[in-house]
Amino acid sequence: MTEHSLWRFSRALHRAINDRHFEDIEALIDEDVEWAIYGPIDMFPFLGARQGKRAVLDVIRQLADNFRVRRFERESIMLGVDSASSMLRYSLTALDSDKPISLRVAQFAQFRADRLINMRVLVDTFDLVEQALGRAIHLPKMTSVG
């Protein structure tokens, strides 16, 4: 049995972010990849949708310019032949402030011939924005009329 594409991609992504070693990740991304990280684009411009290998590599470089991965846990994972879905908890360090950031993400990946062809990531954005602002966000109390 061969290693699942997700494991190779995950290792290469973390090496790219932490060590700025982009060659391995570049080899694992399809030229026509579709990529989206859903989150507050106004606060984090590297979030959002991208098309094509160059655009995705630019996002990965921006992540490497801004964060270091301290650790991550896979809370749950489902592997298909050419797909993977997982819930992850990341502990990051913001490089500009040395501030710790923790976040949860849901990740959905598709591969073809061991290359990433589609990535969708949903970020727990409320918690992320509170950490980025350095304060709690107080929302109005919701009541039901009955």
Side-chain angles (χ1 to χ4, degrees), residues 79-117:
L79 298 176
V81 173
D82 289 323
S83 63
S85 302
S86 54
M87 286 292 298
L88 304 164
R89 183 174 301 276
Y90 274 93
S91 294
L92 308 173
T93 300
L95 296 179
D96 63 345
S97 65
D98 209 31
K99 181 178 177 181
I101 296 174
S102 64
L103 69 142
R104 290 183 75 205
V105 301
Q107 170 184 298
F108 306 91
Q110 293 177 307
F111 300 90
R112 182 176 50 232
D114 295 327
R115 290 177 176 243
L116 181 73
I117 60 169

Side-chain angles (χ1 to χ4, degrees), residues 45-57:
F46 46 82
L47 301 181
R50 303 293 191 279
Q51 176 75 36
K53 187 180 206 173
R54 291 287 141 223
V56 169
L57 288 171

Side-chain angles (χ1 to χ4, degrees), residues 8-145:
R8 283 187 300 279
F9 182 82
S10 181
R11 281 193 310 272
L13 180 61
H14 291 139
R15 267 195 315 273
I17 292 171
N18 282 352
D19 303 329
R20 303 195 59 80
H21 183 79
F22 299 104
E23 295 79 19
D24 290 346
I25 194 75
E26 188 171 351
L28 298 176
I29 298 173
D30 190 81
E31 289 295 331
D32 298 319
V33 65
E34 292 184 24
W35 171 286
I37 304 175
Y38 300 102
I41 296 169
D42 291 342
M43 290 185 77
F44 305 101
F46 46 82
L47 301 181
R50 303 293 191 279
Q51 176 75 36
K53 187 180 206 173
R54 291 287 141 223
V56 169
L57 288 171
D58 185 48
V59 168
I60 294 170
R61 284 185 178 87
Q62 289 177 48
L63 290 169
D65 290 343
N66 287 281
F67 303 101
R68 173 171 295 286
V69 177
R70 286 195 330 260
R71 65 185 265 266
F72 75 99
E73 297 175 39
R74 287 185 181 93
E75 293 180 355
S76 63
I77 190 160
M78 292 177 44
L79 298 176
V81 173
D82 289 323
S83 63
S85 302
S86 54
M87 286 292 298
L88 304 164
R89 183 174 301 276
Y90 274 93
S91 294
L92 308 173
T93 300
L95 296 179
D96 63 345
S97 65
D98 209 31
K99 181 178 177 181
I101 296 174
S102 64
L103 69 142
R104 290 183 75 205
V105 301
Q107 170 184 298
F108 306 91
Q110 293 177 307
F111 300 90
R112 182 176 50 232
D114 295 327
R115 290 177 176 243
L116 181 73
I117 60 169
N118 190 308
M119 175 71 82
R120 298 289 184 262
V121 178
L122 304 172
V123 179
D124 178 358
T125 57
F126 190 82
D127 187 40
L128 177 62
V129 169
E130 284 187 328
Q131 291 176 71
L133 293 175
R135 62 178 172 79
I137 299 171
H138 299 288
L139 298 175
K141 184 176 180 180
M142 303 300 284
T143 60
S144 60
V145 179

